[in-house]
């Protein structure tokens, strides 16, 4: 999303902003956000964990699109854009930046430097950062007694890994999702690191996953080309060994699907 949007947003001066709902705001009032955005210039757009970070000459607009949010920059907003656009901002080139969120599960922050540093410091390392090694993964998982699946998805330990990718990486690494994180050894860290990075890269290259409502920055549907091995396949045969895949909500209240035989 950031990769698609950044070239259309960086260097633009922001005009009038409109917000349809206040319940997506975190730590900022409607009034401060709308007044703050108007007249700023976008200097850069990056990503941290699952957040798009739009750096302006005043503050950072941090958008966490959640499961259903998406962003686009368009010349002609459609009826849907007007209906579901939570935040709409006029740009000085005549286009409009729109943050869509049908179910409003995402969040919007308007952070000054100190708030940004606190926000970012709270989050774990980035799996796609070149400095992220198997040893760094081992340190990130630390001595947690919690199940590895739960720790992988905890943004304080590791940034940006969602449920699909946690399920898939654990399958490829052959690790039981309920195993305590601290019981993993260097060899587990090496395999898990390899598959996490591979799967996240492939998903980014394919512009996101098959999540419903997902749209790329140009408004196109996501196009996740990876063949899912376990996620969404509970009760179906393992693609590797044929064992019926098991599903549980006991680890972290989200669905975890795994193969008893391949992930011991
Ligand atoms: Zn299997």
């Amino acid at each position: 999303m950031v990769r698609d949007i950044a070239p259309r947003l960086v260097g633009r001066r922001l005009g009038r902003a409109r917000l349809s709902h206040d319940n997506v705001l975190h730590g900022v009032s409607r009034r401060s956000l709308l007044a703050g955005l108007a007249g700023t210039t976008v200097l850069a757009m990056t990503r941290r964990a699952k957040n798009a970070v739009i750096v302006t000459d005043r503050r950072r607009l941090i958008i966490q699109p959640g499961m259903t949010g998406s962003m686009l920059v368009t010349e002609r907003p459609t009826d849907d854009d007007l209906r579901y656009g939570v935040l709409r901002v006029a740009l000085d080139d005549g286009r409009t930046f729109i943050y869509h969120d049908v179910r409003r599960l995402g969040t919007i922050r308007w952070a000054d430097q100190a708030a940004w540093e606190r926000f970012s410091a709270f989050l774990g390392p980035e799996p796609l950062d070149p400095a992220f090694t198997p040893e760094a993964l081992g340190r990130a998982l630390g001595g947690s007694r919690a199940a590895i699946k739960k720790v992988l998805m905890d943004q304080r330990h590791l940034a940006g890994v969602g449920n699909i990718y946690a399920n898939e990486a654990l399958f490829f690494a052959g690790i039981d999702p309920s195993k305590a994180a601290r019981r993993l050894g260097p060899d587990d860290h090496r395999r898990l690191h390899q598959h996490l990075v591979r799967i996240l890269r492939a998903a980014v290259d394919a512009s996101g996953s098959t999540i419903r409502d997902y749209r790329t920055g140009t408004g196109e549907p996501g196009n996740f080309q990876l063949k899912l091995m376990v996620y969404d396949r509970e009760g179906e045969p393992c693609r590797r060994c044929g064992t019926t895949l098991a599903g549980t909500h006991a680890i972290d209240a989200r669905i975890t699907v795994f193969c008893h035989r391949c992930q011991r």
Side-chain angles (χ1 to χ4, degrees):
M1 219 181 272
V2 169
R3 192 180 54 191
D4 290 341
I5 290 285
R8 296 156 167 253
L9 210 50
V10 174
R12 298 270 64 86
R13 191 162 185 269
L14 306 184
R16 184 169 176 194
R18 296 160 198 259
L19 183 76
S20 71
H21 294 80
D22 291 5
N23 57 357
V24 293
L25 298 180
H26 265 238
V28 60
S29 69
R30 159 190 292 264
R31 198 183 160 139
S32 303
L33 177 69
L34 298 185
L37 283 172
T40 54
T41 298
V42 177
L43 303 178
M45 184 173 183
T46 60
R47 180 190 59 77
R48 177 75 173 106
K50 300 178 182 180
N51 304 272
V53 183
I54 298 167
V55 184
T56 77
D57 55 3
R58 282 184 203 149
R59 292 180 172 221
R60 283 172 173 80
L61 179 66
I62 305 174
I63 300 180
Q64 214 278 48
M67 290 282 282
T68 56
S70 61
M71 282 164 260
L72 78 157
V73 171
T74 178
E75 269 153 52
R76 280 188 300 269
T78 64
D79 287 347
D80 266 9
D81 292 337
L82 299 177
R83 187 175 311 147
Y84 299 116
V86 175
L87 179 66
R88 286 186 279 148
V89 187
L91 306 180
D92 63 354
D93 62 357
R95 293 178 177 176
T96 307
F97 168 79
I98 301 170
Y99 170 55
H100 263 273
D101 195 351
V102 178
R103 292 199 283 158
R104 294 193 303 283
L105 300 173
T107 58
I108 295 177
R109 292 175 168 84
W110 180 235
D112 61 15
Q113 186 62 26
W116 161 249
E117 284 170 12
R118 279 196 305 276
F119 179 78
S120 187
F122 180 79
L123 297 165
E126 291 284 343
L128 298 183
D129 190 315
F132 184 69
T133 59
E135 294 72 29
L137 174 64
R139 286 193 297 275
L141 304 177
S144 177
R145 293 164 200 264
I148 178 61
K149 157 79 182 335
K150 187 174 181 175
V151 178
L152 268 186
M153 287 179 53
D154 184 335
Q155 303 296 298
R156 294 170 294 181
H157 288 276
L158 187 64
V161 178
N163 200 36
I164 296 178
Y165 308 124
N167 273 285
E168 295 292 307
L170 286 167
F171 173 81
F172 280 104
I175 296 170
D176 177 348
S178 63
K179 188 170 181 173
R182 67 174 183 176
R183 288 185 50 226
L184 267 58
D187 218 47
D188 297 315
H189 295 145
R190 188 186 51 72
R191 290 195 318 280
L192 190 52
H193 175 273
Q194 175 197 337
H195 291 293
L196 267 179
V197 171
R198 180 181 62 77
I199 289 168
L200 287 172
R201 273 198 205 293
V204 171
D205 287 347
S207 291
S209 63
T210 52
I211 295 297
R212 87 185 142 257
D213 300 332
Y214 181 81
R215 291 291 180 274
T216 68
T218 49
E220 301 299 313
N223 184 27
F224 189 43
Q225 302 288 0
L226 288 185
K227 188 179 187 184
L228 296 174
M229 298 297 273
V230 286
Y231 183 81
D232 209 23
R233 298 195 65 241
E234 180 183 0
E236 292 179 39
C238 173
R239 295 194 200 277
R240 194 167 276 171
C241 76
T243 301
T244 300
L245 296 176
T248 176
H249 283 83
I251 294 176
D252 58 2
R254 305 283 305 277
I255 184 71
T256 300
V257 186
F258 62 103
C259 174
H260 279 295
R261 190 163 166 197
C262 296
Q263 295 172 261
R264 281 204 261 232

